[in-house]
Amino acid sequence: MKLLIPRNEVKEAVTGLAKIVSTKASLPILSHIRLDADRTVRLTGTNLDATASYTIEGHTPLPTPMSTIIPLEALQSLLKTTQGSTIEIEKTDDHSVTIGCSVGGQVISRRVSTPDLDDWPNLPEPAKTKPVAPKLLEHIRQAIPFASTEDSRYVLKTVFLDVADKDCHKVVATDGRRLNAFNSVRLPLAESVILSTSKFLAWNKLSGEPSIGADKTNEVLTLNVGPW
């Protein structure tokens, strides 16, 4: 069963997921990306603190759903060495997958070992979201440089989404010496939440009409924007 996905979509997904997934992760499974394909294709990466998923709509439909786990490094290498318009992914068996791309009319492929799907972390369900002004993404990016970068001050390595004052919601970051706050966005949150900073959230490719929501019971904050 072969899956064909537009190369430009895979490149966009891998570029973003690489800001969360580490090829040098202490747990080997965290250096991989999970692929789930049915009517859409979803590529997911996690470092356990944060999870990102990219949904691809334009692909050749599969007769049956397909799920597999692929090393991030394998996809990065394929994208660097090939220029075809389509990435081909074929699940060879339960423990390997073949990934390839057309180069000069010929398919360059690589077979890679894949972990068992049962090894993938049990991730919490995303929270229900509501639309929010696109300016929120800009405010988060502008606030991140003001957050602490010291591991010993973990609570300050965050952006605070403050809705305590119902008439003036704020996006706040501080390193203990300086503080930056934006108050021009109305946040559809019932309670204030703390958002850990990351290279992914600072990425300027996140654009579009966002929605946001929080589940305090499961300690989950969900941000949807475009295919992410």
Side-chain angles (χ1 to χ4, degrees), residues 64-210:
T64 57
M66 176 175 123
S67 293
T68 190
I69 299 173
I70 305 172
L72 172 65
E73 175 276 329
L75 287 173
Q76 289 175 321
S77 177
L78 181 68
L79 291 167
K80 287 179 181 177
T81 56
T82 61
Q83 296 296 325
S85 61
T86 304
I87 299 294
E88 300 182 5
I89 299 177
E90 185 174 10
K91 192 171 182 181
T92 313
D93 52 46
D94 288 342
H95 301 290
S96 65
V97 66
T98 299
I99 58 175
C101 190
S102 177
V103 178
Q106 295 185 336
V107 175
I108 304 298
S109 61
R110 173 184 174 187
R111 184 171 177 172
V112 295
S113 298
T114 62
D116 194 296
L117 280 171
D118 291 339
D119 294 337
W120 188 252
N122 186 20
L123 302 173
E125 288 293 321
K128 294 181 179 179
T129 64
K130 294 181 180 180
V132 65
K135 192 179 292 185
L136 173 63
L137 298 171
E138 180 184 348
H139 287 346
I140 291 174
R141 284 194 290 266
Q142 291 173 331
I144 286 175
F146 289 84
S148 177
T149 58
E150 299 176 19
D151 290 337
S152 60
R153 309 190 76 182
Y154 182 76
V155 74
L156 297 186
K157 294 180 67 175
T158 61
V159 174
F160 184 45
L161 304 183
D162 183 6
V163 298
D165 184 343
K166 299 188 181 302
D167 297 322
C168 185
H169 293 176
K170 306 177 188 70
V171 178
V172 185
T174 181
D175 59 7
R177 296 179 295 275
R178 19 166 230 169
L179 180 146
N180 196 3
F182 300 92
N183 61 2
S184 61
V185 174
R186 190 78 181 171
L187 300 169
L189 300 172
E191 299 180 61
S192 301
V193 295
I194 295 175
L195 174 63
S196 297
T197 60
S198 68
K199 292 180 180 179
F200 182 76
L201 287 175
W203 188 32
N204 60 10
K205 293 289 187 179
L206 287 179
S207 60
E209 299 293 328

